[in-house]
Amino acid sequence: YDFMGTYEPRVPPGRKVEYSNLGFGLLGHLSEVASGKSYGDLMVEKILVPLGMTNTGVIMPESENVAIGHSSDGEPMPLWDFEVLGGAGVIKSTPGDLMKFLAANMDPAASPLAADLEACQVQQAESWTGNVGYGWQLTSTLQGELDFVWHNGGTGGFVSFIGFDRKHGNAVVMLSSSGD
């Protein structure tokens, strides 16, 4: 709250669209405040249970099944703790669960979250990466047809990318435990 009280954007609102980890972090926090529930509980209730994603969450048990992130020099890195700004990247998942998420997005009509998934894939603005929806980057062909929907991310020691091409029925999940 102290930061937001003194923050001045580099570009005035409404002039330019950029992806913002701070923005997604704040959205997650405001969702917690509005609902009275934790970000993790909201994820479980609103997305994970409806999509059958049983190996995804904001807290994963320490075990041999949890990847250890590494710096570009190969040194192990601790998991990041996002505290208040969990919406910026606190979610942990498996390739199988991410494919469930992509399958639901590729065929929203068959999902219990149909309207929400469709709404997220509608162009909201243009950015340096092309078009953006709610949380998705939208890449279109020269004819203006939606061609590829994707999002990437990274935290200390990890890099991720997911995307799909609904027209051709292709999806990809790429996860790396090396990168900083």
Side-chain angles (χ1 to χ4, degrees), residues 16-158:
K16 181 179 177 185
V17 174
E18 283 187 344
Y19 177 83
S20 170
N21 281 327
L22 174 61
F24 275 94
L26 288 171
L27 181 61
H29 176 66
L30 293 174
S31 297
E32 289 177 321
V33 171
S35 69
K37 298 179 181 179
S38 73
Y39 186 73
D41 288 346
L42 286 169
M43 288 289 304
V44 169
E45 176 186 330
K46 303 290 186 183
I47 299 169
L48 305 181
V49 167
L51 296 183
M53 296 173 66
T54 58
N55 293 305
T56 301
V58 299
I59 298 173
M60 299 297 279
E62 295 294 326
S63 75
E64 64 229 28
N65 295 327
V66 176
I68 296 171
H70 295 83
S71 70
S72 56
D73 295 332
E75 295 297 318
M77 296 185 70
L79 292 176
W80 283 9
D81 179 8
F82 285 84
E83 297 180 22
V84 174
L85 300 177
V90 73
I91 302 166
K92 295 154 184 74
S93 191
T94 62
D97 264 12
L98 290 172
M99 287 304 292
K100 288 178 184 178
F101 183 70
L102 291 176
N105 275 277
M106 289 174 64
D107 186 12
S111 165
L113 304 178
D116 294 324
L117 296 177
E118 284 283 0
C120 289
Q121 297 173 36
V122 173
Q123 178 183 341
Q124 301 299 316
E126 292 182 22
S127 77
W128 67 272
T129 60
N131 300 318
V132 293
Y134 292 130
W136 287 113
Q137 303 294 320
L138 311 172
T139 304
S140 300
T141 65
L142 293 176
Q143 294 78 29
E145 290 183 36
L146 182 60
D147 187 44
F148 197 70
V149 179
W150 60 276
H151 192 87
N152 64 355
T155 60
F158 297 95

